[in-house]
Amino acid sequence: MMKSKLIVILLLLNYNISNAQRYLGMTSFQVKDATYNIEHIDKTESGNSHPGYLRIANSGNTLKNEKIEMPAKIRDHILTDIVTTESEQKKVKDIIIAKFASIIDKFKNETVIVRYYIGPSGDIRELEFLLREDTQFTPDELYALEETLKKDYKFKIENNGMEGVSFVPLHWAIRFRQD
């Protein structure tokens, strides 16, 4: 009896260790018709705000490399015109919880930082993820998360805040942590 309990514990421990190291050594992965690039953020790089994280982005994304053309009249208040209140963050989290209802407990210690590329009407044109190296998100789940957010969430824009802008990048965290 004790031997079988020990074997089960060792198997679970081995699964958790290998699951947490899923992206170690990887530079990309493919899910369906999408390829995602993985950039390991160096812990020693100076000025790095997220050491020990992974930047994971769809290889089809192009906006990261585009220069943002922003009229002077909106430059100073663009980020306040994109609504990022607690109630909006709850909407995003609720969309994710609905999509991943059967496995949401596995994300209880996750903080996902998403860089959204928001179009003039508030649509999500592209996004990339910043995740801890020990993230529990699988490649399939990241693909589903990207598809879900693009389809089911649209940012509220106030005061014609995006007038004359083709897109705005915005970092916004989704916190599953229960602390």
Side-chain angles (χ1 to χ4, degrees):
M1 180 73 133
M2 185 62 115
K3 264 188 175 178
S4 39
K5 285 183 182 179
L6 182 60
I7 290 171
V8 169
I9 290 170
L10 289 174
L11 286 172
L12 288 172
L13 183 61
N14 186 39
Y15 171 78
N16 286 334
I17 290 170
S18 64
N19 193 39
Q21 297 176 349
R22 171 180 295 115
Y23 299 103
L24 275 179
M26 292 177 65
T27 57
S28 67
F29 62 84
Q30 186 156 359
V31 177
K32 298 186 181 180
D33 59 344
T35 299
Y36 290 82
N37 296 323
I38 303 170
E39 179 186 339
H40 296 266
I41 300 174
D42 190 351
K43 294 178 182 178
T44 60
E45 190 178 309
S46 68
N48 188 344
S49 60
H50 299 292
Y53 274 68
L54 305 170
R55 180 176 291 114
I56 301 177
N58 191 313
S59 65
N61 289 359
T62 60
L63 296 178
K64 179 180 181 177
N65 300 322
E66 285 187 31
K67 184 177 178 186
I68 303 168
E69 299 294 331
M70 192 173 307
K73 68 180 183 172
I74 65 168
R75 188 174 298 127
D76 294 335
H77 59 84
I78 186 71
L79 293 180
T80 58
D81 287 347
I82 300 171
V83 179
T84 56
T85 60
E86 275 187 42
S87 64
E88 286 301 305
Q89 191 167 40
K90 184 178 178 340
K91 286 179 188 176
V92 171
K93 193 172 174 181
D94 288 346
I95 289 169
I96 295 167
I97 288 169
K99 176 69 178 180
F100 297 104
S102 64
I103 58 171
I104 199 66
D105 282 345
K106 105 177 186 180
F107 305 130
K108 68 182 176 196
N109 293 316
E110 295 274 354
T111 296
V112 181
I113 302 167
V114 182
R115 184 172 191 180
Y116 298 90
Y117 293 86
I118 305 166
S121 65
D123 56 309
I124 300 171
R125 294 179 56 194
E126 296 178 358
L127 53 81
E128 61 186 42
F129 302 101
L130 285 175
L131 302 163
R132 289 190 337 234
E133 289 177 340
D134 65 348
T135 184
Q136 296 298 305
F137 277 97
T138 66
D140 287 337
E141 292 161 350
L142 288 174
Y143 176 85
L145 181 56
E146 178 179 23
E147 295 298 306
T148 299
L149 289 174
K150 284 180 173 178
K151 183 179 96 186
D152 295 343
Y153 187 74
K154 187 173 181 175
F155 283 87
K156 289 183 184 176
I157 310 296
E158 295 179 336
N159 306 317
N160 295 323
M162 299 281 285
E163 189 175 304
V165 179
S166 59
F167 72 93
V168 170
L170 172 74
H171 283 86
W172 200 26
I174 303 167
R175 289 177 181 79
F176 295 98
R177 292 177 166 256
Q178 299 174 358
D179 35 10

